[in-house]
Amino acid sequence: MASEAGLGPLGAGGHVVVMGGGPAGVACALMLQRHALGKGAPFQVTILESKEFAGERHHNQCAGVLSPPLAELLESDLGIAFPRQLVRSVIEAYVLHAEGGSLSLRDPSVVSHAVRRVQFDAFMLDQARERGVSVIPARAVDLEFHSSGVVVYTEAKPIEADIVVGAFGMDEGAAAIFQRACGYRPPQALASVVTKYHPGDPAMEAFGARIHAFLPRHRRIEFAGVTPKGNHLTINIAGRSVDTALMREFLRSAAMRRVLPNLDQAGTIDSNDLRCYKGRFPSSLAGNLFGDRYVMVGDSAGLVRAFKGKGITSAVQTGIRAADTIVRAGISEKAFRHDYLPANQDLVRDIPYGRAMRLAVIVLANVGLFGPILAAGEREPRLREGLFEAVSGDASYVQVWRKGLSPRSLAAVARATLRKPRGAPPL
């Protein structure tokens, strides 16, 4: 057990249970192992993960884009070589679509990588096993917190530990366990529907290494995207109540016909095409996301780039930061409040700005005013930079707002609005 009153920094003989074997949980486990080796004070780290990532038996609804500075985090902080063998496409640019126009966005210094998320998760979990982390293929079913430790009841066996890390994403069953045990409140969430499409090699080559992002004039779809993944495209829509029927409607839209001109051939190349998978991702901070002997990381904490997401990178960042707090400051509510929370201020402080951005985008898209903004972005470099940073997640939304509301940007939008043509084609 931990030293002193049981809530100090974790030392030799301590035990951490991580609920979830995705990027946030594995990053936390790997960072804990590195700290233990560096201090010469070994402790035990156990990951609970019931999904079988190997063999791609499970589908993950994440678009699977690895954004900077993920490569640096893996290599410098976790000691893992960036898995270039898993990269399906190198994302070099974005195309932003709204009613009335489109805008190509590019920054040669910012490159992202598209992967199959299930393959990336399998890779990360293998790295944890190779470094001595115990991985138990089971789900947690209950928790008990005591002054001397925490008991994690699983489908396999009960586990006694000093602290439990919540890295279960948006899993409602795991969230309910923490709600009962400690009053945790999961973050608000948007729904996402994802499908894939194999248009054939010539079409993939013509599509290029670009992500197409859509801001449709639609009361239920807040945004959508098409991401190249080597031999296929991943297509996703997001909103409060999106479903399979809405995905099919989106696939029939004029915008998708323009981006994917041979969409009518879908299903003739791969029998798995256009099968829909549904998931959720956070749109707010979780409540009671830490306390004595527990802490949330990644989506479970709601610590993501609000509205845009950038979930994998944020997950790894928060996992690393939680491990640092556990080893340096302690496993108490006070330690997490004074160490873990400040370490994540780059994410926490940006949440209100991201939510404001989301609201502004919804309003502007639904009244048909985003077209002039894209037109203005063609002429005004500062506005174009802000739009690129918003779509790519490369900068905070504070910075995006500053560039979008600069006098030059506002003047460019005003001029474009006055020039707005009537009868623009619908998205």
Side-chain angles (χ1 to χ4, degrees), residues 67-413:
S67 304
L70 184 63
E72 180 181 346
L73 292 170
L74 294 182
E75 295 175 356
S76 299
D77 291 68
L78 301 181
I80 297 174
F82 185 76
R84 300 192 181 279
Q85 71 278 11
L86 299 183
V87 174
R88 294 294 189 94
S89 298
V90 178
I91 306 302
E92 300 174 345
Y94 297 80
V95 182
L96 182 57
H97 303 267
E99 182 172 307
S102 300
L103 178 63
S104 295
L105 301 165
R106 179 186 177 94
D107 183 341
S109 67
V110 180
V111 176
S112 297
H113 301 86
V115 299
R116 291 287 304 277
R117 174 60 191 274
V118 67
Q119 292 179 347
F120 181 73
D121 286 356
F123 165 80
M124 291 290 286
L125 207 54
D126 284 343
Q127 296 298 309
R129 290 189 182 97
E130 290 175 9
R131 288 160 174 77
V133 175
S134 173
V135 179
I136 297 178
R139 293 176 61 90
V141 296
D142 208 349
L143 289 172
E144 287 181 5
F145 289 96
H146 303 282
S147 60
S148 59
V150 56
V151 181
V152 183
Y153 293 94
T154 79
E155 298 168 322
K157 62 180 180 179
I159 304 172
E160 294 186 7
D162 294 282
I163 178 173
V164 60
V165 177
F168 47 81
M170 299 299 293
D171 184 89
E172 293 179 339
I177 292 172
F178 274 95
Q179 281 183 288
R180 292 194 305 268
C182 57
Y184 161 77
R185 299 188 304 277
Q188 298 174 22
L190 292 181
S192 177
V193 174
V194 180
T195 190
K196 67 178 180 178
Y197 168 48
H198 292 76
D201 292 341
M204 286 301 303
E205 185 175 352
F207 189 91
R210 303 173 295 176
I211 291 178
H212 287 255
F214 300 82
L215 301 173
R217 190 172 185 174
H218 197 290
R219 64 183 181 84
R220 291 174 60 196
I221 302 177
E222 294 191 15
F223 61 90
V226 182
T227 303
K229 293 282 191 72
N231 67 343
H232 72 276
L233 300 171
T234 292
I235 305 167
N236 70 290
I237 60 174
R240 287 292 180 193
S241 59
V242 295
D243 54 24
T244 296
L246 206 56
M247 170 62 84
R248 290 171 180 159
E249 177 186 329
F250 178 66
L251 292 172
R252 292 192 298 267
S253 69
M256 286 300 291
R257 298 293 175 180
R258 289 193 290 269
V259 172
L260 305 174
N262 60 341
L263 189 60
D264 290 333
Q265 301 173 14
T268 62
I269 298 172
D270 190 307
S271 61
N272 291 318
D273 274 3
L274 305 184
R275 290 184 177 180
C276 292
Y277 299 87
K278 195 168 186 179
R280 299 186 307 145
F281 61 92
S283 59
S284 73
L285 198 65
N288 288 339
L289 62 91
F290 52 75
D292 289 352
R293 301 191 182 280
Y294 79 90
V295 63
M296 302 293 163
V297 295
D299 284 4
S300 305
L303 288 170
V304 298
R305 292 290 179 193
F307 183 47
K308 170 62 181 71
K310 202 172 183 180
I312 297 176
T313 300
S314 298
V316 171
Q317 287 175 321
T318 58
I320 290 171
R321 292 164 180 174
D324 288 344
T325 297
I326 289 168
V327 174
R328 292 197 308 239
I331 58 175
S332 66
E333 187 275 341
K334 182 178 178 181
F336 292 122
R337 183 169 301 281
H338 291 283
D339 194 277
Y340 180 63
L341 195 58
N344 286 296
Q345 283 304 297
D346 58 330
L347 300 173
V348 174
R349 288 176 180 168
D350 211 38
I351 288 176
Y353 295 95
R355 298 186 76 171
M357 180 69 67
R358 175 185 164 212
L359 178 61
V361 166
I362 292 171
V363 172
L364 291 169
N366 280 286
V367 298
L369 289 181
F370 224 97
I373 294 176
L374 299 184
E378 290 276 11
R379 298 174 173 82
E380 174 49 46
R382 188 167 177 81
L383 177 59
R384 188 166 58 250
E385 288 174 9
L387 290 170
F388 172 84
E389 291 167 352
V391 174
S392 67
D394 188 54
S396 70
Y397 279 102
V398 174
Q399 294 172 277
V400 172
W401 275 111
R402 286 173 181 166
K403 291 180 179 179
L405 295 178
S406 71
R408 293 178 64 90
S409 294
L410 292 174
V413 172

